[in-house]
Amino acid sequence: MSDPVVEPVSPHPPALSGTVMMTQHWRDLTFLHWAVDPALVAHRMPPGVRPDTLDGVTYVGLIPFRMVGAGVARGPGVPWLGTFLETNVRLYSVDETGRRGIVFLSLDTDRVGVVLGARAAFGLPYRWARMRHRRDGDVHTYDARLRHPGARGSSHLVVRAGARRDSTPLDDFLSARWGLHQRWWGRTLYVPNQHEPWPVHDAEVLALDDGLMASVGLPVLASRPPDHVGFSPGVFTEFGLPGDARRPRT
């Protein structure tokens, strides 16, 4: 049997069909990525999903950012609970229908209510952490220390954001992801999203001391410089309702 046709990488999202489940603003986001052999992370994918690759490798991402004004449907942002800091460790996926997405290994935030709600609703691996973001001109500092029961790890990252750049094929491969794959209640779900193309800026890593990737079973990556670095002031995002990942997007 031949492999399914994989949807093309495009910075422009397909339109959401049906109900908008939630909206979010992602702000002051830094992309750090390490190239790895797909075999290293294939076992971390939910059923029916495999690592997506570019030029024979896949990527592990460490992504800190500010979530601002997350709200239900197209309503206003939820007060206090809808604005928080987050750092996630992610993989890049493609399912048997050929649809590209993201698989989260961890999502760390300073709002314990978000942790409890996201775990209960979708089984997403949110963890409670003490977090801080500081900005001094073009320099952004992100700090996180896990508080989640049974979890240990911390992260300290300092980057200097530069000028906006024309998106590279690798930028598009990593950022043009119009959904996530998640195993929940015996099914692999696909949750679609849409947002404007990411404005990607050059960025320089000034300091990195990360244990979050090690906390999810990837201990050696932070010992070497990332293979991809970028910064974005952010985008506004809408999420559609989850569906079975075996069913192609309509």
Side-chain angles (χ1 to χ4, degrees):
M1 181 180 296
S2 60
D3 290 336
V5 176
V6 177
E7 66 178 19
V9 176
S10 170
H12 301 282
L16 286 180
S17 60
T19 302
V20 171
M21 179 175 61
M22 68 179 72
T23 58
Q24 303 174 345
H25 294 266
W26 298 334
R27 296 287 180 253
D28 296 326
L29 182 145
T30 291
F31 294 104
L32 298 183
H33 288 98
W34 287 261
V36 300
D37 186 326
L40 179 69
V41 296
H43 68 289
R44 311 297 294 269
M45 296 284 158
V49 177
R50 66 182 188 275
D52 198 4
T53 61
L54 181 67
D55 298 328
V57 299
T58 192
Y59 288 84
V60 176
L62 178 70
I63 317 291
F65 66 101
R66 296 189 303 119
M67 180 82 76
V68 178
V72 178
R74 289 194 169 97
V78 177
W80 188 76
L81 198 63
T83 297
F84 51 88
L85 299 177
E86 181 177 315
T87 297
N88 59 65
V89 178
R90 62 173 66 169
L91 305 176
Y92 296 89
S93 54
V94 60
D95 61 33
E96 292 176 350
T97 76
R99 187 169 39 199
R100 301 178 188 271
I102 288 170
V103 169
F104 290 108
L105 299 183
S106 64
L107 305 100
D108 302 326
T109 179
D110 53 353
R111 292 283 188 263
V112 69
V114 172
V115 174
L116 297 175
R119 281 179 166 265
F122 299 112
L124 289 167
Y126 268 92
R127 304 182 298 185
W128 187 30
R130 181 179 290 110
M131 308 189 78
R132 186 179 182 187
H133 169 258
R134 301 183 302 280
R135 179 177 180 179
D136 182 6
D138 293 330
V139 175
H140 294 257
T141 302
Y142 309 85
D143 287 290
R145 182 173 298 276
L146 292 175
R147 306 174 72 180
H148 199 76
R152 298 180 62 183
S154 63
S155 183
H156 174 69
L157 169 64
V158 185
V159 298
R160 177 181 287 116
R164 183 169 180 176
R165 69 190 185 214
D166 292 334
S167 292
T168 67
L170 181 55
D171 286 333
D172 289 341
F173 176 81
L174 297 169
S175 69
R177 296 280 155 171
W178 311 118
L180 66 92
H181 293 106
Q182 172 66 18
R183 181 70 167 172
W184 186 232
W185 288 102
R187 291 194 304 161
T188 299
L189 300 179
Y190 180 79
V191 184
N193 66 51
Q194 68 175 10
H195 53 75
E196 64 266 34
W198 280 98
V200 180
H201 292 232
D202 290 330
E204 177 188 4
V205 177
L206 303 180
L208 175 61
D209 182 9
D210 178 72
L212 298 181
M213 290 187 293
S215 75
V216 294
L218 297 167
V220 301
L221 294 184
S223 64
R224 62 179 172 90
D227 299 293
H228 171 268
V229 180
F231 176 85
S232 180
V235 294
F236 171 73
T237 308
E238 296 180 330
F239 282 86
L241 294 173
D244 194 316
R246 295 171 298 180
R247 187 179 305 118
R249 188 197 300 268
T250 58

